[in-house]
Amino acid sequence: MAGESSRRRFIRSVAAVSAGVGVAGGGSAASAQQTGRVRGFDHVALPMANTEAMLAFYRALGWDIVESADAFSVYFGDNKINFHRPAHWQDKRFTNRAPAAVPPCGDLCFVWEGTAESLKVMLDRAGAKVEIGPVAREGGRRKTGSSVYLRDPDGNLLEFMIYP
């Protein structure tokens, strides 16, 4: 399209990027952020075995907790974890779950937005015992951070990652 004006080429390239096609086969950063894609997690649901110990542990971590007859939810940032009470997840009529999931089946990583010292204070307050760490790990942000690993009262693996 040798005679095509620069304005027309610009409009064509914007339309191609908007459609997610890319320009001249090279793609575009804008197309990677288009709508209609998964943005993140809203919540995770896990069965639990030891309700009272789990409630005490997550309260000691300082997270907001909302209880219901079937579960309790812990909130952190814009996320939550629903812990299904044993009577709920063991009920054969409750089928809206992974059928093979039994405690401890969680392996969760949280981003800690503070210092290693403030993380240690929070974990000590909760009576948590660090199993591994701090160790360098590549996380979901595709960067290396420093992680510590521990278990909640049901035995779920919890990782707390600090990015530089």
Side-chain angles (χ1 to χ4, degrees), residues 1 7 12 14 17 20-21 25 36 41 44-45 51 71 76 91 114 126 135 148:
M1 298 184 203
R7 177 176 158 78
R12 190 171 57 82
V14 168
V17 167
V21 173
F41 285 105
V44 173
T51 302
F76 53 98
D91 186 334
V135 293
V148 296

Side-chain angles (χ1 to χ4, degrees), residues 1-5 9:
M1 298 184 203
E4 187 176 47
S5 72
R9 275 193 307 275

Side-chain angles (χ1 to χ4, degrees), residues 149-161:
Y149 295 84
L150 56 123
R151 298 198 183 267
D152 71 12
D154 268 0
N156 295 300
L157 182 65
L158 306 182
E159 176 183 357
F160 289 85
M161 178 174 276

